[in-house]
Amino acid sequence: DAKTTQPPSMDCAEGRAANLPCNHSTISGNEYVYWYRQIHSQGPQYIIHGLKNNETNEMASLIITEDRKSSTLILPHATLRDTAVYYCIVRVPNAGNMLTFGGGTRLMVKP
Amino acid sequence: ETGVTQSPTHLIKTRGQQVTLRCSSQSGHNTVSWYQQALGQGPQFIFQYYREEENGRGNFPPRFSGLQFPNYSSELNVNALELDDSALYLCASSFGTLKQGTQYFGPGTRLTVT
């Protein structure tokens, strides 16, 4: 499995961009980077995923470095409702499509 | 489009008892995965069902078992409950077993074993 490393916690001011980093230096060529978030006591929510190109959707943007060893999830205008634990996951190939969650980053958005 | 639903929301069981948790997958999805999330930790993969067959299993003992039905809904059964089985149990559905398949989670069932 390619492991990921994320800072345990981050703060962000409401209305500002939240940039959440993730290191995945052992990622292999056919593995995707997925981001999920989990608001307290709820099920994880899918945010975005990508292979090598930058991706954007209505929730966030995903920037993957050219060597694919790290990525950044960007929430362009963080709100209090974005306070959650954010998980960066690298998909394990040929493993029953499972997700391997690490510790994640606890993002606190402050007024 | 109907999302993933789970029942019950909460339940309390006694050590040694058996429990069944239920999950209805998102419309159009044929694969269900189950995860266990202990307090303060990330979810841990239990197993996955694809077209009514187990399609992968994590490091959980055989007393954790499951079923998938023709309508792709699923059950998680846990026998001989232990105190450490207290956790949030999450169900996630996806389409097929493609490596790119995105999993969508339900709200979870909070199990407390006393």
Side-chain angles (χ1 to χ4, degrees), chain A residues 4 17 21 24 30 50 53 89 93 106-107:
Chain A
T4 61
H24 31 78
N30 61 349
N53 298 319
I89 298 167
R106 184 172 299 278
L107 176 68

Side-chain angles (χ1 to χ4, degrees), chain B residues 6-92:
Chain B
Q6 293 185 244
S7 63
T9 304
H10 299 86
L11 75 166
I12 300 173
K13 290 287 189 177
T14 302
R15 189 171 51 184
Q17 286 187 316
Q18 178 266 343
V19 69
T20 297
L21 310 181
R22 295 177 175 83
C23 171
S24 291
S25 59
Q26 183 167 316
S27 176
H29 287 179
N30 57 11
T31 302
V32 173
S33 303
W34 286 91
Y35 294 80
Q36 179 197 67
Q37 186 173 24
L39 198 61
Q41 299 182 19
Q44 301 296 310
F45 176 71
I46 303 174
F47 46 57
Q48 180 188 84
Y49 278 82
Y50 170 64
R51 292 186 174 178
E52 303 178 55
E53 297 287 333
E54 188 175 293
N55 187 55
R57 189 177 184 94
N59 188 27
F60 281 81
R63 59 190 185 83
F64 285 79
S65 63
L67 283 173
Q68 187 179 34
F69 300 99
N71 66 354
Y72 304 125
S73 65
S74 177
E75 286 183 355
L76 165 65
N77 299 292
V78 187
N79 294 322
L81 283 167
E82 301 177 359
L83 297 179
D84 286 348
D85 296 332
S86 295
L88 180 68
Y89 287 85
L90 297 159
C91 162

Side-chain angles (χ1 to χ4, degrees), chain A residues 3 5 9 21 23 42 46 50 54 57-58 82 89-90 94 98 102-103 106:
Chain A
K3 294 184 178 179
T5 304
S9 64
N23 288 321
Q42 299 181 19
Y46 165 76
N54 298 339
N57 63 20
E58 64 279 4
D82 292 321
I89 298 167
V90 172
N94 301 319
M98 72 178 190
R106 184 172 299 278

Side-chain angles (χ1 to χ4, degrees), chain A residues 37-45 80-86:
Chain A
R37 73 181 181 183
Q38 188 171 25
I39 297 169
H40 182 62
S41 294
Q42 299 181 19
Q45 178 187 22
L80 299 179
R81 288 192 299 270
D82 292 321
T83 292
V85 178
Y86 286 77

Side-chain angles (χ1 to χ4, degrees), chain A residues 8-108:
Chain A
S9 64
M10 292 181 64
D11 290 343
C12 177
E14 188 178 19
R16 303 295 297 270
N19 297 286
L20 293 97
C22 180
N23 288 321
H24 31 78
S25 58
T26 59
I27 191 171
S28 59
N30 61 349
E31 290 181 306
Y32 286 69
V33 180
Y34 282 76
W35 284 84
Y36 282 78
R37 73 181 181 183
Q38 188 171 25
I39 297 169
H40 182 62
S41 294
Q42 299 181 19
Q45 178 187 22
Y46 165 76
I47 301 173
I48 198 167
H49 74 282
L51 180 62
K52 60 177 70 174
N53 298 319
N54 298 339
E55 302 287 344
T56 296
N57 63 20
E58 64 279 4
M59 290 183 67
S61 295
L62 173 60
I63 308 299
I64 303 175
T65 58
E66 190 169 344
D67 64 8
R68 302 210 324 123
K69 293 185 177 181
S70 66
S71 60
T72 301
L73 178 74
I74 301 172
L75 307 178
H77 305 287
T79 70
L80 299 179
R81 288 192 299 270
D82 292 321
T83 292
V85 178
Y86 286 77
Y87 294 100
C88 169
I89 298 167
V90 172
R91 202 57 172 274
V92 178
N94 301 319
N97 210 35
M98 72 178 190
L99 296 169
T100 302
F101 289 82
T105 295
R106 184 172 299 278
L107 176 68
M108 180 72 71

